[in-house]
Structures are given as structure tokens and as C-alpha cells.
Amino acid sequence: MWAHSMTVRDYQDLIDRGWRRSGRYVYKPVMNQTCCPQYTIRCRSLQFQPSKSHKKVLKKMLKFLAKGEISKGNCEDEPMEPSMEDAVAGDMALINKLDLQCDLKKLGDNLKESLEREVKKKGKSTKKEESDEFIQSQDKNEELGSGEPSHAVDVHTAPKPGKGADLSKPPCRKAKEIRKERKRLKLMQQSPAGGPEGFQAPREPKTKPNQPKSLEELIFESLPEDASHKLEVRVVRSSPPSSQFKATMLESYQVYKRYQMVIHNHSPDEPTVSQFTGFLCTSPLEPENPPNGPDCGYGSFHQQYWLDGKIIAVGVIDILPYCVSSVYLYYDPDYSFLSLGVYSALREIAFTRQLHEKASQLSYYYMGFYIHSCPKMRYKGHYRPSDLLCPETYVWVPIEQCLPSLENSKYCRFNQDPEAADEGRSRDPDRLQVLYKKAILPYGVFKQQQREPGEEAAVLQYASLVGQACSERMLLFRN
């Protein structure tokens, strides 16, 4: 259907019934008939924890910003998608395979067994006090995918030529680690209690293990003063267009045009400016700024990624009462090496959590459609915990419970209760609101004036698809 104007509340209810929008065009797949069923997917952003591949993308961005480093070896299957290994969190064989590829590649197979043997031997050693702090530091490096061997391991077997560093020799220490150790010793000497306030000396590993870094800590890790690049993310209202949006629209359009030419092989003549604005800038959503809502308000926005003063990517998003809904992303192909698809999704999850601090009901990140029958579209299921929308009862079901059914059938009813029905279904079509000749009429009145063949079937189908609540709030245009 074509939406001329729509409240954010109505669109929230519609996407919770499987609808999505592209510009003003609002559509819903016929799930039990389409060849590739598209299930609405949402991430529970407040409980989200980045996977190992997500952390690698964030670290890659930080390295680029800090030192201008461009990663050559990439463990992702696709430039814009996390590796498939992280899709199955419980499959340790696949996780170990990813670890081997990304973290132990330099050691060679001949060192792997001796490393594991020596690690076990060291674990039983009585010298834990000497190595606890160091191992914790190394664990942190492995979590971020540093690819370096643990210095606490003493291996006496020389490697084969070309297989990496000779671990029989004293390991090289990073200057940063040496400075940290000097500072720690100095502080311990100055403190009569053996350590300054808030500082923990190495001890037996009986305490709680270090908590993993939050998504925000990983994204906003401090950069050196002489960082090579500066990244800024700006949120500008796209509909109605704000002054900031108008001032940057042409530059944004040029990025989109290059994206379509390089990534999707479009001709230089397309898309036109009007096609661009119709698809990614115009929106039926009416802006709202309630006092208990987010500071930016509700509606449609562009999240612009500015690198050194120029736009390199734009995320098109809707901010709704209960969620941030991702509409589209486009980026400068010259920066594909930064995995901007994954990076922008992580930034949008962090943005959702930020908005939640002011608007407590807003806590979900909607990623569009999950298409299990298309392997390249399964990457959206990597952002856990997430839920899929049941196409019959419109309740949310954890994706882990849905996957076994989807392996057996493209189309599935996820609600396991056979008696459950759609609670928001159309119960009284006569109360549906119609806009006819500039007048608002209940459908019960309107249908008495109309005898067009097929009119009633079309209206009843509309009522069943949008549900009772929306059918009474929205106006169905008839002429």
C-alpha cells in the first residue's frame, strides 16, 4: 500500500505484523506463498553481546582510526557479513576452527600441540602468582584477535622455516606492556599496603573473571591524540528534511550513486536524484517530539558516518516507540575493507541502547527480514539474542527455537500452541475507517453506498493484514 502519512505508533504496530517500508511504499510478504519467506527479526539490544567476529570488526576500525592500518587478512566470509562460524554459538568445533584461523595461524600446526601441552603443564605449576596478571592480559589480546602467541608458554621446539617466531628464544615484549609493568611495580612500592587504591596485585585465580568489555567500551575506546583519522557519526532528520540534511544531501547522493555502480553494477545514469530521494529520503512517518521520548524525537533519520570531514556511509533508520528500525545502508566502496555493514549495525545497536536511557520503552533493534532459505541472508541471525515474528499469531519467538523448524520447512508457524490465534486480528471490519470524498466514514456506512465488484474483498483483505487497531486509526483512501 502507498502511505501518504502515518504516525510512528501505527508503523510500529504494522512492523509488528510483518510489514516494512521502502520510501512511502509499505509492503508485507505473503508468507505461505512466497518462494523465500521473509521473517521479521529483532535484536534485544539491552542484552546484546558482540561475538568474536563483531569484536574483530570494531578492532579493525580502531586500528584504522588510530594508525591508518588497513587489515589485509580478513577472516570474514563476506566483506559485509560476519563469518558463518559465529552463527552457531554452541558448536565448539566451528568456534575452535575460527580461533585457529585467526589467532594461531602464525604458529603452524607443528607448534599447536606443543602449545596446548605446555599450557596444561603451566596450569599445574606452582608459579601461578608470577603469571596470573600476564595471562589475563594475553586473554584480552586473544579476545580482540591479536594473533600473537602467549608469552607465558615456554616451547623448546624450534619452528620450521617460514612458520613464525622461534619460541625457544626469549619473547619480545611490547613497549606498552613494559611501561604498564614498570608503573605497577612503582605503585606497589609507593603503597604501604602493597598496592594503591583500586589496584589489584596478581593473586590466585579464585576471584571472578574479568567481565567482557561492553559494546560501548569497544566502540568508544579512546584514541591517541595523534590519531590518523577522525570518525564522527551524526543523526539528521530526513523527513521532513532538516537544515543539516539539506546541506549534505548532494554529498550523500554521490556516495549512494557510487555504491550502486560498484556494488550493484548500475549504470552511471542511475539512480537519479528523484529515485534516490523517493527510495531513501521521503517517508510517510510524521515527526513526533513527546517530552518522554528521545531527544531527537521519533520519525525517519539518516545516520551519517563522517571520516575526516567527508561522508563514507549512511544508515537509513526509523526511530519508533519501541525500537530503532534499520531501513537501508549504503557506503563508499573505497572503504569496503572496514566492513561497514557490520560496523553500522553495531553502532545502531549502541544507538538503540543510548535512546533507551531517555525512552525506557525503546529497547529493540529491528533488522528487517531474516531469510533462512537464502544462506547469504542468514547473517542477521548472528546478532544475539534475537527473535523472529510468528507469521500467523504475530508473537515473538527466540530464534534458537525457530531454527530447527526452518531447517525442515521454508515456511513455519513458530508459535507452538496450536490453539493460539492472532490476538490483533480484524474482528469488526465495519469499524474500519475510510477516507472518501474528503469525509471520514466507518466502512459499515461506506459499503452501503458502494456496489463495486471486488471492493469488499479488497477492504477485508486490508483489514486482516493491518489488524483491528490500525484499521480503526488509519484512513483507507477510496475513490
Side-chain angles (χ1 to χ4, degrees):
M1 59 185 178
W2 187 264
H4 296 270
S5 175
M6 186 178 290
T7 66
V8 291
R9 180 188 177 191
D10 286 341
Y11 186 55
Q12 176 73 68
D13 285 355
L14 286 179
I15 63 174
D16 284 335
R17 293 183 64 83
W19 290 79
R20 295 290 293 173
R21 79 168 185 89
S22 175
R24 295 182 185 273
Y25 184 66
V26 188
Y27 59 96
K28 183 184 187 305
V30 184
M31 297 289 285
N32 58 353
Q33 297 180 27
T34 182
C35 62
C36 299
Q38 304 152 61
Y39 299 93
T40 303
I41 184 171
R42 71 178 186 184
C43 172
R44 284 171 259 154
S45 69
L46 303 186
Q47 293 82 39
F48 173 78
Q49 287 293 333
S51 69
K52 181 171 288 188
S53 62
H54 294 152
K55 292 175 183 177
K56 288 177 196 248
V57 170
L58 295 175
K59 184 185 179 186
K60 180 166 54 177
M61 176 63 81
L62 288 171
K63 278 186 173 182
F64 174 73
L65 296 176
K67 302 177 182 179
E69 291 184 12
I70 298 176
S71 300
K72 293 181 180 178
N74 195 341
C75 293
E76 296 171 276
D77 293 329
E78 294 291 335
M80 300 301 293
E81 298 172 9
S83 57
M84 293 302 293
E85 280 82 353
D86 279 344
V88 187
D91 192 336
M92 292 308 296
L94 289 176
I95 297 298
N96 288 337
K97 180 182 177 184
L98 183 67
D99 290 344
L100 178 64
Q101 290 173 346
C102 298
D103 297 332
L104 300 176
K105 189 177 292 182
K106 295 180 182 178
L107 296 178
D109 293 338
N110 62 320
L111 289 179
K112 183 172 179 286
E113 292 181 5
S114 56
L115 272 172
E116 292 172 347
R117 187 164 58 249
E118 290 296 327
V119 168
K120 291 178 181 177
K121 190 185 297 181
K122 287 285 180 180
K124 298 176 182 178
S125 170
T126 58
K127 298 181 180 179
K128 288 182 180 178
E129 293 84 359
E130 298 175 8
S131 61
D132 278 348
E133 182 184 11
F134 194 79
I135 290 174
Q136 287 174 3
S137 175
Q138 176 61 22
D139 287 344
K140 181 179 177 182
N141 286 338
E142 288 181 355
E143 182 181 40
L144 295 176
S146 68
E148 296 186 3
S150 171
H151 302 312
V153 177
D154 186 16
V155 182
H156 300 288
T157 306
K160 295 179 182 179
K163 288 292 185 179
D166 187 347
L167 298 183
S168 65
K169 296 179 180 179
C172 294
R173 304 276 309 277
K174 285 186 178 180
K176 185 177 179 182
E177 292 174 357
I178 296 172
R179 288 197 301 271
K180 280 185 177 180
E181 186 169 338
R182 285 176 183 167
K183 184 177 180 182
R184 177 180 65 82
L185 293 173
K186 185 177 179 181
L187 289 170
M188 290 181 70
Q189 290 171 358
Q190 293 174 352
S191 173
E197 184 179 353
F199 177 85
Q200 276 192 325
R203 61 178 67 183
E204 292 289 330
K206 294 178 181 178
T207 57
K208 242 183 176 181
N210 289 337
Q211 293 291 326
K213 282 188 176 182
S214 68
L215 175 63
E216 289 75 12
E217 288 172 322
L218 292 168
I219 290 176
F220 302 110
E221 189 169 314
S222 59
L223 295 170
E225 292 183 2
D226 60 344
S228 299
H229 301 284
K230 180 183 178 182
L231 178 67
E232 184 182 359
V233 179
R234 305 177 190 172
V235 177
V236 298
R237 186 178 287 279
S238 56
S239 182
S242 64
S243 58
Q244 299 97 321
F245 177 82
K246 291 177 181 177
T248 59
M249 195 195 82
L250 186 58
E251 183 175 355
S252 183
Y253 164 66
Q254 293 299 334
V255 174
Y256 177 64
K257 194 169 183 177
R258 291 200 64 231
Y259 172 79
Q260 291 293 341
M261 287 173 57
V262 176
I263 304 299
H264 297 298
N265 298 317
H266 283 201
S267 71
D269 298 331
E270 55 178 358
T272 63
V273 174
S274 61
Q275 288 173 332
F276 166 71
T277 55
F279 174 41
L280 297 172
C281 304
T282 58
S283 168
L285 301 185
E286 294 294 329
E288 296 181 24
N289 291 87
N292 60 342
D295 293 335
C296 60
Y298 298 112
S300 298
F301 298 83
H302 279 195
Q303 197 166 34
Q304 301 173 336
Y305 294 80
W306 290 78
L307 181 69
D308 301 332
K310 71 171 186 176
I311 297 176
I312 65 165
V314 177
V316 183
I317 59 173
D318 292 328
I319 301 178
L320 305 175
Y322 300 114
C323 73
V324 169
S325 175
S326 177
V327 179
Y328 198 75
L329 174 87
Y330 57 94
Y331 58 91
D332 187 334
D334 289 345
Y335 296 91
S336 295
F337 64 90
L338 289 173
S339 301
L340 291 169
V342 177
Y343 183 78
S344 65
L346 297 172
R347 288 295 299 244
E348 288 172 6
I349 292 173
F351 183 52
T352 305
R353 287 150 66 134
Q354 177 188 338
L355 297 179
H356 171 77
E357 295 176 4
K358 179 72 186 295
S360 59
Q361 289 183 314
L362 200 163
S363 61
Y364 296 102
Y365 174 57
Y366 283 47
M367 297 176 279
F369 290 133
Y370 174 81
I371 309 175
H372 191 79
S373 54
C374 178
K376 289 196 70 172
M377 293 299 292
R378 294 184 186 180
Y379 70 92
K380 295 182 181 181
H382 299 181
Y383 298 85
R384 304 286 181 90
S386 57
D387 309 303
L388 297 183
L389 187 67
C390 176
E392 296 182 7
T393 62
Y394 302 111
V395 297
W396 293 98
V397 181
I399 192 170
E400 296 84 357
Q401 298 178 25
C402 305
L403 294 179
S405 300
L406 289 171
E407 287 295 328
N408 296 323
S409 174
K410 290 182 179 181
Y411 174 76
C412 298
R413 171 194 167 107
F414 299 136
N415 193 328
Q416 297 300 310
D417 181 2
E419 303 297 324
D422 171 16
E423 295 295 329
R425 65 186 180 277
S426 174
R427 300 171 186 269
D428 188 356
D430 284 352
R431 296 175 61 183
L432 179 151
Q433 298 296 295
V434 174
L435 179 63
Y436 178 64
K437 292 184 177 179
K438 299 182 180 181
I440 299 172
L441 305 172
Y443 178 66
V445 175
F446 170 78
K447 69 179 182 181
Q448 295 175 3
Q449 307 173 16
Q450 294 295 315
R451 292 292 183 269
E452 290 290 329
E455 175 72 19
E456 184 173 11
V459 173
L460 292 179
Q461 183 189 42
Y462 161 82
S464 68
L465 294 173
V466 303
Q468 186 69 35
C470 280
S471 72
E472 292 186 34
R473 293 197 305 259
M474 300 193 305
L475 302 179
L476 176 63
F477 178 73
R478 299 282 92 179
N479 58 22

